[in-house]
Amino acid sequence: MRVGCPKEIKNHEYRVGLTPGAVREYVAHGHEVIIQSGAGTGIGADDGAYQAAGARVVKTAEEVFQQSDMIVKVKEPQPSEWAQLREGQLLYTYLHLAPDPEQTKGLLASGVTAIAYETVTDDRGGLPLLAPMSEVAGRLAIQAGATALQKANGGRGLLLGGVPGVLPGKVTIIGGGVVGINSAMMAVGLGADVVIIDRSIPRLRQLDELFRGRIHTRFSTIEALEEEVFSADVVVGAVLIPGAAAPKLVTREMLSGMKKGAVVVDVAIDQGGCFETSHPTTHSEPTYEIDGIIHYCVANMPGAVPVTSAHALNNATLHYGLQLADRGVKALIDNPHLRNGLNVHKGRITNRPVAEALGLDMVEAKTILAA
Ligand SMILES: NC(=O)c1ccc[n+]([C@@H]2O[C@H](COP(=O)([O-])OP(=O)(O)OC[C@H]3O[C@@H](n4cnc5c(N)ncnc54)[C@H](O)[C@@H]3O)[C@@H](O)[C@H]2O)c1
């Protein structure tokens, strides 16, 4: 198969769909890989690195779209990109169609077979192509919180790890999923006191076993939230209710009970945020202050570290990507987890939540693939 990767064109997107390492794997499977010149600049991979990995480098995105049977990207296609997709071509990337009727219309009109990273599943009921970005965001949350805590940045002026003879800071993490665990690892590594709040008792048990007494866990109630938020120096918001907006667990009123100069890092901002006072911010202006509390609410945190993020993403996407390249649409028929990733095929929506969110008709992936 001819596998193509254009340069990302969404504002401030520096990741790339295929790293040179991933290109080598596709080439080893007997595929031809076509890369747009400059596609890897954001992660420090020049055209020479791609050529050395066995790719053919072309000048324009148009050449990539025209010459490829499968397009591998990071972000959802932009209008100029979806206009170039065609029936019989595979598109493998993040799509996030539910809130995006325009893109959905574009993909339906193109006839493309679109597999969305975010709906591919695994045997454990997880979303394996979303998890690496949650790992990055979770780890970054503590770096962001520690930086915002510094006096010159508006924070309390406290070192999370303390020093001998001076107590460390306290980090409260709301939501002990992928983001929460990764935040906890970093906070523990810095020497902070750490509490994780979750509403799932099995999850709290796992966390308790994993951290072996190095963190404390609490069941999520209003009382627990108040106590742990009021005494925290950094609060990380990391809750997720799949398919729903994040619950507003920390109200504006609660900010007045917090320490002045404390920091909230609302990682769940991409689902609306779990602090009532959160609104999305960007890497160029990541924080703002309300009632003396510093808010960090960057909606695409992994974008700050494209080198790490692109490699983590490629590690996760490669396995399924190779199946698609090796077997084409047959891979979707045989692998139910990959089939769950199918969102659009030959002008029809094949994902129920997407169809429901947009009020459009759908057809079961299995039915349309068998036809
Ligand atoms: N801002 C970014 O750049 C960025 C990057 C990656 C992920 N995210 C977001 O981070 C959030 C968390 O992602 P994740 O992968 O860790 O999800 P996850 O499903 O692994 O974990 C979510 C956890 O929240 C818990 N939870 C749900 N309701 C709760 C409540 N009322 N109180 C306490 N805990 C509760 C769940 O039990 C679960 O353990 C999501 O909204 C995700 O989209 C943001």
Side-chain angles (χ1 to χ4, degrees):
M1 193 177 268
R2 280 165 303 170
V3 180
C5 176
K7 186 173 171 60
E8 292 296 319
I9 55 173
K10 193 166 178 178
N11 202 10
H12 283 298
E13 180 54 64
Y14 302 105
R15 290 172 293 176
V16 59
L18 292 175
T19 59
V23 168
R24 278 186 75 174
E25 299 293 327
Y26 280 88
V27 171
H29 274 237
H31 303 294
E32 186 188 347
V33 180
I34 305 161
I35 301 279
Q36 184 184 352
S37 177
T41 311
I43 64 159
D46 60 17
D47 292 351
Y50 280 100
Q51 276 156 344
R56 180 157 62 86
V57 176
V58 296
K59 265 208 179 124
T60 63
E62 287 73 22
E63 289 167 271
V64 174
F65 281 94
Q66 273 164 20
Q67 296 174 22
S68 306
D69 306 304
M70 169 163 136
I71 300 287
V72 184
K73 275 177 51 59
V74 178
K75 295 306 278 186
E76 70 280 4
Q78 305 300 296
S80 69
E81 295 177 314
W82 74 58
Q84 299 182 69
L85 296 165
R86 60 173 183 273
E87 184 160 343
Q89 197 172 41
L90 296 171
L91 171 68
Y92 183 48
T93 190
Y94 285 119
L95 288 177
H96 296 290
L97 290 179
D100 195 347
E102 281 306 304
Q103 188 205 162
T104 308
K105 227 173 25 186
L107 294 185
L108 289 172
S110 74
V112 76
T113 297
I115 296 104
Y117 291 163
E118 69 273 9
T119 63
V120 173
T121 52
D122 64 19
D123 285 335
R124 294 178 302 166
L127 300 170
L129 308 192
L130 263 191
M133 294 306 101
S134 288
E135 289 168 347
V136 171
R139 292 182 181 211
L140 200 55
I142 300 302
Q143 277 181 221
T147 306
L149 261 187
Q150 293 172 26
K151 200 71 185 168
N153 298 330
R156 294 193 67 212
L158 178 117
L159 184 63
L160 269 184
V163 290
V166 182
L167 289 175
K170 172 171 174 173
V171 176
T172 294
I173 299 167
I174 312 174
V178 181
V179 168
I181 287 185
N182 280 277
S183 289
M185 283 176 176
M186 297 307 270
V188 164
L190 283 180
D193 283 336
V194 181
V195 175
I196 306 184
I197 302 176
D198 204 290
R199 63 174 184 171
S200 156
I201 291 174
R203 171 49 54 138
L204 293 174
R205 280 200 187 102
Q206 282 174 347
L207 293 167
D208 190 61
E209 274 174 31
L210 181 68
F211 286 96
R212 299 184 166 272
R214 183 55 187 81
I215 61 155
H216 298 289
T217 58
R218 279 196 82 171
F219 182 67
S220 186
T221 60
I222 295 169
E223 182 183 67
L225 280 163
E226 279 183 357
E227 286 175 9
E228 303 304 339
V229 167
F230 292 167
S231 56
D233 299 295
V234 173
V235 182
V236 176
V239 301
L240 177 65
I241 299 176
K248 303 285 179 210
L249 298 175
V250 178
T251 61
R252 173 153 197 169
E253 209 185 339
M254 284 169 73
L255 294 191
S256 60
M258 292 179 69
K259 300 177 193 171
K260 289 281 171 257
V263 176
V264 300
V265 180
D266 200 350
V267 184
I269 190 67
D270 61 338
Q271 299 288 334
C274 50
F275 300 84
E276 195 181 22
T277 43
S278 294
H279 63 72
T281 59
T282 61
H283 290 295
S284 41
E285 222 170 301
T287 58
Y288 60 92
E289 183 244 299
I290 292 183
D291 296 346
I293 306 302
I294 312 301
H295 292 57
Y296 176 103
C297 305
V298 175
N300 65 330
M301 293 175 68
V305 287
V307 176
T308 306
S309 301
H311 285 101
L313 180 63
N314 272 254
N315 289 347
T317 57
L318 181 65
H319 170 68
Y320 293 110
L322 286 174
Q323 288 183 30
L324 285 168
D326 290 347
R327 310 196 50 239
V329 172
K330 281 199 197 82
L332 297 166
I333 297 173
D334 295 343
N335 184 337
H337 293 305
L338 196 46
R339 191 164 63 238
N340 287 336
L342 186 67
N343 278 220
V344 170
H345 182 56
K346 291 188 177 172
R348 302 293 303 274
I349 295 179
T350 55
N351 179 283
R352 189 169 299 281
V354 167
E356 282 172 359
L358 294 170
L360 295 171
D361 288 342
M362 63 129 351
V363 54
E364 290 296 340
K366 225 176 174 171
T367 313
I368 193 166
L369 288 168

